Amino acid sequence: MSEVSGTEEQPDDKVSRLVEGVRAQRRAAVSQAITLVESSRPQHRAQARELLTALAEDSGGRDVVRVGISGVPGVGKSTFIESLGTRLVAEGHKVGVLAVDPSSVRTGGSVLGDKTRMGRLSVAPEAFIRPSPSAGTLGGVARATVQAMAVLEAAAYDVILVETVGVGQSEVTVAGMVDTFLFLTLARTGDQLQGIKKGILEIADVIAVNKADGDRAQEARAAARDLAGALRLVRGKGEWAPPVVTCSGLHDLDVDDVWARVLAHREHLGADGLARKRAEQQLEFTWAMVRDELDQRLRTSPGVRAVREEISTQVLAGELPATVAADRILAAYDGD
């Protein structure tokens, strides 16, 4: 723990220092604040709540643009984000990049090398890049990411890009954090539609076919036409019609057009629609935090810890059905 005038820094002093540093837009304080809200330790959670309460009036503004970015493996998300982020910084924006990495749920740590892959953007004074934490559950990753967004917004970052490297539920999770969900894909020979699940088409607000440069430009335009046709089948009349465009993050081609489509989606939502969407997201996030907290309490329950090994042994040996085992674990938890 850090030292202040020869004595240990008290929790209240630490939170006050971080609040002051975040408001002053000091990068070290922003980084430390995000580390605090990412932590799953009980004492850190209490401090994080105090921190976020103090910063609440400085975050969550409607002028902050929150964009989720996902895509098929190898689509070039990091290259695209660096190109877009560098362009936005040059236009006077402060850009925060948060990477949601569900693989950390399995391995216990982030496997992303975003700062290495985004060499130009990572050294820009007006940009902040942060890979996701080891959060134990996808819900934990979501909790940490949403709270990290609040810290960045309090530090006057006006564009937040949330990248997910996963597929399936992680994309749905990210879509529930942001104003606009951008899906990147590639032109493939005849299988571009098979590689995209219907669920992705249902949550995407903007779709961009990346790597549309050189000899691949024509193929990318054909893929965009196919995707536009597919979207008409899954979207109802009167809904926002997600535009399908082409771009090249590597060569910075039409990246500005993709951003213009993102802003057009925000304009379509309008102030009332954006406020309603964020309110609904806050309600869902409330329940996500409840579920994550219950999961943490279950993991640290003395009663569960006492029966865990015995129940695991019996289930693995085929002596105890999963339904009965679950009931015993919950009974042990309730007994606390």
Side-chain angles (χ1 to χ4, degrees), residues 42-336:
Q43 63 268 38
H44 289 168
R45 288 194 171 207
Q47 292 174 14
R49 283 192 291 270
E50 182 182 347
L51 171 75
L52 293 167
T53 300
L55 294 177
E57 61 188 48
D58 305 310
S59 62
R62 293 178 189 171
D63 54 337
V64 176
V65 183
R66 304 172 181 172
V67 182
I69 300 177
S70 187
V72 297
V75 74
K77 289 188 294 294
S78 295
T79 302
F80 174 84
I81 290 172
E82 177 170 55
S83 181
L84 174 60
T86 302
R87 177 181 289 271
L88 292 173
V89 166
E91 293 175 358
H93 293 283
K94 289 191 67 177
V95 179
V97 180
L98 299 171
V100 175
D101 179 13
S103 62
S104 68
V105 174
R106 297 188 300 273
T107 64
S110 174
V111 297
L112 295 179
D114 291 278
K115 290 190 176 182
T116 301
R117 294 202 297 262
M118 303 180 196
R120 286 182 299 146
L121 186 59
S122 65
V123 298
E126 300 303 303
F128 189 96
I129 300 173
R130 181 85 173 199
S132 73
S134 166
T137 65
L138 185 55
V141 174
R143 174 187 62 80
T145 303
V146 170
Q147 294 179 159
M149 287 171 61
V151 172
L152 289 176
E153 290 175 16
Y157 287 86
D158 60 333
V159 176
I160 310 294
L161 305 177
V162 184
E163 175 193 5
T164 173
V165 300
V167 293
Q169 186 58 41
S170 67
E171 290 164 324
V172 175
T173 300
V174 169
M177 303 176 186
V178 298
D179 307 325
T180 302
F181 187 76
L182 168 63
F183 184 75
L184 298 178
T185 188
L186 294 172
R188 299 174 178 175
T189 55
D191 69 342
Q192 58 264 21
L193 293 181
Q194 285 82 350
I196 302 175
K197 295 182 179 179
K198 179 183 176 183
I200 300 302
L201 297 182
E202 291 175 339
I203 64 174
D205 299 306
V206 179
I207 296 179
V209 182
N210 195 23
K211 301 186 180 180
D213 50 65
D215 296 338
R216 297 174 291 188
Q218 184 174 353
E219 186 182 14
R221 287 192 291 270
R225 286 193 298 270
D226 290 344
L227 282 169
L231 281 168
R232 286 193 290 270
L233 299 176
V234 299
R235 294 287 181 129
K237 292 183 178 180
E239 294 184 58
W240 164 258
V244 184
V245 297
T246 60
C247 66
S248 172
L250 181 62
H251 298 285
D252 196 20
L253 297 174
D254 295 324
V255 173
D256 56 339
D257 182 44
V258 177
W259 184 245
R261 306 304 177 109
V262 169
L263 297 181
H265 176 251
R266 285 176 59 81
E267 186 175 346
H268 168 79
L269 289 173
D272 291 342
L274 184 58
R276 185 167 55 253
K277 183 172 186 175
R278 290 193 175 182
E280 291 170 351
Q281 289 176 344
Q282 280 296 106
L283 179 58
E284 176 56 34
F285 180 54
T286 298
W287 285 107
M289 288 190 68
V290 170
R291 290 189 292 269
D292 182 56
E293 180 64 27
L294 288 174
D295 179 77
Q296 292 295 327
R297 293 184 183 185
L298 190 64
R299 291 169 182 266
T300 57
S301 159
V304 172
R305 195 159 49 237
V307 300
R308 184 196 305 270
E309 186 174 345
E310 178 185 357
I311 289 176
S312 297
T313 301
Q314 292 178 346
V315 171
L316 290 173
E319 299 170 356
L320 192 65
T323 52
V324 178
D327 286 341
R328 288 189 183 178
I329 290 173
L330 291 173
Y333 175 71
D334 289 340
D336 288 340

